[in-house]
């Protein structure tokens, strides 16, 4: 478990991000009743270890697990002046906002490029859904939100909105 309470210096906030990306996934106690477990034969996930570990916990070792860097979370770096300590959320929101405005992407993927990647990920899932009738993705919150937006622009609608929790299930269906 990575501690996110208290006040963080810029360096401590950056270390938190690093630790979070490498952290083990906690045991999932309860699976969502919305998961059609019997129908799922293939699961897409990102290349980050926590995505793969979550997919295995949810669906077991019998499904085909397809790791794809297209589904990795939008990159994030802690930005700002190293003056004082602030809650972790302050560092994260400030850094993400600066990144989205295009002010802080020199060492990482730009927001514009990340949105294009989310759109490509949506196309990939649409192709899978058309080919097999179902596409399942275990990925990351910020990316998932932009994939959902891209799918909605393509005529898909949200039928189950599992929220923004760590194991939230969102289901979309193609409208007629």
């Amino acid at each position: 478990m990575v501690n996110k309470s208290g006040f963080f210096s810029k360096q401590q906030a950056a270390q938190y991000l690093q630790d979070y990306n490498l952290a083990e996934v906690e045991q999932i106690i309860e699976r969502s009743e919305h998961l059609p477990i019997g129908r799922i034969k293939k699961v897409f996930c990102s290349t980050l270890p926590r995505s793969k570990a979550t997919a295995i916990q949810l669906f077991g070792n019998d499904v085909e697990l397809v790791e794809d860097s297209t589904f990795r979370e939008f990159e994030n770096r802690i930005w700002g002046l190293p003056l004082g300590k602030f809650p972790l959320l302050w560092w994260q929101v400030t850094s993400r906002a600066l990144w989205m405005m295009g002010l802080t992407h020199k060492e990482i993927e730009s927001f514009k490029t990340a949105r294009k990647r989310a759109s490509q990920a949506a196309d990939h899932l649409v192709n899978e859904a058309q080919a097999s009738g179902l596409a399942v993705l275990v990925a990351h919150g910020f990316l998932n939100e932009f994939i959902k937006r891209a799918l909605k622009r393509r005529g898909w609608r949200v039928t189950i909105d599992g929220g923004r929790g760590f194991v939230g299930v969102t289901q979309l269906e193609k409208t007629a």
Side-chain angles (χ1 to χ4, degrees):
M1 181 89 151
V2 181
N3 181 20
K4 63 179 184 178
S5 61
F7 290 84
F8 291 72
S9 67
K10 179 182 176 184
Q11 181 180 359
Q12 289 168 324
Q15 185 63 51
Y16 169 86
L17 274 183
Q18 229 176 10
D19 293 346
Y20 178 76
N21 282 331
L22 299 174
E24 301 252 341
V25 175
E26 290 184 32
Q27 181 68 32
I28 297 171
I29 308 252
E30 210 174 292
R31 287 188 179 111
S32 170
E33 70 275 6
H34 300 298
L35 293 173
I37 298 292
R39 290 182 49 213
I40 298 171
K41 306 296 181 219
K42 182 192 291 187
V43 175
F44 295 93
C45 69
S46 86
T47 53
L48 284 176
R50 68 179 189 266
S51 176
K52 180 179 179 181
T54 301
I56 290 170
Q57 276 195 47
L58 287 171
F59 303 106
N61 291 313
D62 293 334
V63 299
E64 178 186 354
L65 195 59
V66 181
E67 293 179 69
D68 187 333
S69 62
T70 305
F71 300 119
R72 74 186 185 283
E73 179 61 294
F74 287 179
E75 293 182 69
N76 195 8
R77 297 286 188 275
I78 298 298
W79 301 96
L81 297 173
L83 304 172
K85 292 187 173 191
F86 301 95
L88 183 60
L89 185 62
W90 184 89
W91 287 108
Q92 291 174 315
V93 169
T94 301
S95 297
R96 192 60 92 184
L98 291 170
W99 175 74
M100 291 174 79
M101 290 187 292
L103 301 174
T104 59
H105 64 270
K106 288 179 179 52
E107 295 130 16
I108 61 174
E109 175 182 50
S110 72
F111 180 52
K112 182 178 179 181
T113 303
R115 281 193 330 242
K116 285 182 187 175
R117 180 167 52 84
S119 183
Q120 292 168 345
D123 290 339
H124 192 64
L125 294 171
V126 167
N127 291 338
E128 177 66 22
Q130 289 172 339
S132 66
L134 178 69
V136 176
L137 171 65
V138 175
H140 312 279
F142 216 61
L143 171 75
N144 289 346
E145 179 61 31
F146 281 85
I147 290 174
K148 180 171 69 174
R149 291 177 188 183
L151 289 170
K152 287 168 79 175
R153 283 192 301 273
R154 290 165 176 75
W156 291 68
R157 65 180 174 87
V158 175
T159 57
I160 297 171
D161 189 347
R164 297 181 176 270
F166 282 109
V167 188
V169 174
T170 301
Q171 179 177 311
L172 291 95
E173 294 179 1
K174 179 69 173 158
T175 54

